[in-house]
Amino acid sequence: MRIVGVVVAVLVGGINVASSQVVIRNSEEPTLYAYCQQFQTLYTRIREQTITPDSARRQFSTIMLGLQARFQSQASPPNDSLQRDSLRRTGQYFVFPIRGYTPRSIGGSHGEGYRGRGFDLFDHTVQGSHPAQDIFISDRNQDYIDDRSGQPVDILAMSSGLVLGIETGWLPGSEYRGGNWIWVYDPRLNGLFYYAHNSSVSVSPGQWVQAGEKLAEMGRTGYNAYKTRSPTHLHLMYLQIKPNGLPEPVNTYPWLLSARLSK
């Protein structure tokens, strides 16, 4: 391979989101969809505990480093002109992930529901952390329908990215905690957004989504989210990919406060 250029860096919340080198690579390298397939298979094995944590870490690192390099071979992500135009107009990178709602719907008074310490994506026997923000809707009878509008509630992409994996087959009685989930890779941030507890999912692995595009509809899927004691909510997590290809949770609360709202 050979380096042929450099693109300009953009900063969002102190994270370098666009600095990369343009690299020409050979045709034998995996396609973006191949990385999605690898990620989906790996995450399913992690969830089902059919892979050891150490093996999962190695595979995850390989996938993420390869995916990062694959995007670095492009001057910009595909079909990203809409988000670039929005950034120029408003200076805001993120879209609030629940249509019709605001940061007032975030659990707690100051986002204190986030607990990143002790998080381990690869070992489900390690519990106690909550490296996410839960965002609640008005749904007193727990039927997935917004009490105010009488309509299902759309889950939106916080930023543009590649849909890496989805789950759509969760059924009541399953012990899987995430329910019907979606993973989206943002190549500018070099990180992963995780949207969990959805009722229906509207996207597919390998699909490029724009910031603000519908990903799913709000639901109550997941072992704990399905229980009546749990108010209807979106479980939103972001994992920053470190130089070694492994994930580190980041609190999205400041991003949510500044995100653009959608009616």
Side-chain angles (χ1 to χ4, degrees), residues 142 170 220-233:
Q142 301 185 343
W170 188 89
R220 298 179 52 81
T221 61
Y223 180 71
N224 289 317
Y226 185 70
K227 297 177 180 178
T228 56
R229 63 176 172 80
S230 176
T232 306
H233 67 279

Side-chain angles (χ1 to χ4, degrees), residues 99-111:
R99 189 186 306 279
Y101 280 78
T102 73
R104 291 192 296 272
S105 301
I106 300 171
S109 56
H110 300 287

Side-chain angles (χ1 to χ4, degrees), residues 40-214:
Q40 178 99 30
T41 299
L42 174 60
Y43 189 70
T44 300
R45 293 191 66 194
I46 293 170
R47 183 194 64 186
E48 295 176 346
Q49 301 182 55
T50 59
I51 186 172
T52 66
D54 285 344
S55 294
R57 290 184 186 93
R58 288 192 294 270
Q59 291 188 32
F60 184 94
S61 176
T62 298
I63 292 170
M64 297 314 302
L65 290 176
L67 189 61
Q68 181 183 18
R70 182 69 174 76
F71 270 103
Q72 287 178 345
S73 67
Q74 306 174 36
S76 63
N79 303 320
D80 204 26
S81 60
L82 179 63
Q83 187 179 33
R84 290 200 305 272
D85 290 345
S86 178
L87 282 168
R88 283 195 290 267
R89 289 196 308 271
T90 68
Q92 293 177 308
Y93 187 79
F94 300 107
V95 171
F96 197 78
I98 303 182
R99 189 186 306 279
Y101 280 78
T102 73
R104 291 192 296 272
S105 301
I106 300 171
S109 56
H110 300 287
E112 62 268 23
Y114 176 90
R115 302 186 306 276
R117 186 174 180 179
F119 171 73
D120 192 333
L121 179 67
F122 310 103
D123 188 348
H124 281 196
T125 65
V126 178
Q127 299 184 21
S129 66
H130 186 264
Q133 292 294 343
D134 288 340
I135 310 174
F136 298 84
I137 67 167
S138 179
D139 179 23
R140 288 186 296 274
N141 63 354
Q142 301 185 343
D143 63 353
Y144 306 1
I145 301 300
D146 192 329
D147 292 341
R148 305 174 306 176
S149 68
Q151 299 295 322
V153 179
D154 291 343
I155 303 301
L156 310 176
M158 275 197 70
S159 67
S160 297
L162 177 73
V163 179
L164 271 188
I166 64 172
E167 174 62 59
T168 60
W170 188 89
L171 295 172
S174 170
E175 294 185 358
Y176 297 142
R177 289 174 288 175
N180 292 330
W181 43 257
I182 304 166
W183 284 98
V184 177
Y185 173 69
D186 182 331
R188 292 183 179 274
L189 291 175
N190 188 31
L192 295 167
F193 284 97
Y194 174 71
Y195 306 82
H197 306 325
N198 309 289
S199 60
S200 62
V201 173
S202 306
V203 294
S204 302
Q207 181 178 340
W208 180 264
V209 293
Q210 300 286 358
E213 185 172 343
K214 180 178 176 179

